[in-house]
């Protein structure tokens, strides 16, 4: 690395002695990394299971396929800036769950908040009869949580499968 530094992935790196200084040239790099979104997904998952447990319902297992489908759907809603279920049945068919399990989905969008996102989502779903019924279905099952973000706008999808 020369005296003037080197640009790597939108970051200007300088070496001063044994210390590397960085200057962010691209403000998009300041957006929360995927690990922050995964933390929101995990907290949402745990909050839903806590609500189920508090009511004497079985907790749901995490399902990687449902997480991937939910995350992709949240990203799609974010890119279109449109909240909706789209073709939920088709998404469940792509992972082989439609017609095999009882399936359900809850979605939400919130904007203008930087903290407490999982609580905002779960409280919103609990205040809606249809969403609450899906989240609190009294059966064993699995769920997958997917969250997408742009600035302080978040879209969330939780896909569920239930079985006896």
């Amino acid at each position: 690395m020369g005296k003037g530094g080197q640009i790597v992935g939108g970051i200007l790196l300088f070496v001063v002695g044994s210390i590397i200084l960085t200057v962010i040239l691209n403000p998009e790099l300041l957006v929360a990394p995927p690990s922050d979104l995964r933390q929101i997904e995990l907290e949402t998952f745990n909050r839903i299971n806590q609500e189920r447990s508090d009511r004497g319902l079985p907790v749901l297992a995490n399902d990687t396929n449902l997480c991937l489908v939910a995350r992709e759907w949240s990203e799609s809603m974010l890119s279109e800036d449109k909240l909706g279920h789209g073709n939920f049945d088709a998404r469940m068919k792509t992972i082989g769950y439609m017609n095999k399990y009882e399936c359900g989905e809850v979605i939400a969008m919130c904007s203008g908040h930087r903290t407490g996102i999982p609580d905002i989502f779960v409280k919103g779903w609990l205040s809606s009869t249809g969403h609450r019924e899906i989240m609190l279905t009294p059966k064993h099952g699995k769920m997958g949580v997917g969250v997408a973000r742009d600035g302080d706008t978040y879209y969330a999808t939780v896909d569920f499968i239930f079985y006896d």
Side-chain angles (χ1 to χ4, degrees):
M1 196 177 315
K3 278 186 168 180
Q6 180 178 358
I7 297 175
V8 177
I11 299 175
L12 181 58
L13 302 173
F14 289 95
V15 177
V16 179
S18 63
I19 300 172
I20 298 177
L21 302 175
T22 62
V23 177
I24 296 177
L25 300 175
N26 183 349
E28 291 179 74
L29 296 173
L30 297 174
V31 174
S35 63
D36 288 355
L37 292 180
R38 302 304 78 90
Q39 183 63 33
I40 292 170
E41 291 172 350
L42 177 62
E43 289 175 23
T44 302
F45 174 87
N46 290 336
R47 180 86 160 77
I48 291 169
N49 267 334
Q50 186 63 54
E51 292 293 336
R52 291 178 60 82
S53 178
D54 289 350
R55 291 166 172 79
L57 300 171
V59 296
L60 303 175
N62 188 48
D63 183 282
T64 304
N65 289 327
L66 290 172
C67 288
L68 293 173
V69 168
R71 193 172 297 134
E72 286 175 7
W73 187 244
S74 292
E75 290 168 359
S76 176
M77 289 188 297
L78 177 67
S79 70
E80 295 176 19
D81 193 25
K82 183 178 178 183
L83 192 64
H85 291 283
N87 195 340
F88 172 70
D89 291 351
R91 292 195 305 278
M92 292 300 101
K93 283 180 186 175
T94 63
I95 56 175
Y97 291 170
M98 200 69 207
N99 301 322
K100 187 174 181 182
Y101 302 106
E102 181 181 334
C103 300
E105 179 176 70
V106 296
I107 57 173
M109 184 274 289
C110 76
S111 189
H113 301 275
R114 290 278 183 186
T115 62
I117 304 304
D119 284 336
I120 292 168
F121 287 141
V122 173
K123 286 177 183 178
W125 291 320
L126 288 171
S127 69
S128 162
T129 302
H131 291 99
R132 184 175 58 250
E133 287 175 359
I134 293 169
M135 281 179 37
L136 302 178
T137 296
K139 293 183 178 184
H140 293 275
K142 298 179 181 182
M143 72 172 140
V145 180
V147 176
R149 171 185 174 200
D150 182 17
D152 64 357
T153 299
Y154 296 82
Y155 281 82
T157 303
V158 185
D159 289 328
F160 299 86
I161 59 170
F162 298 104
Y163 44 84
D164 294 319

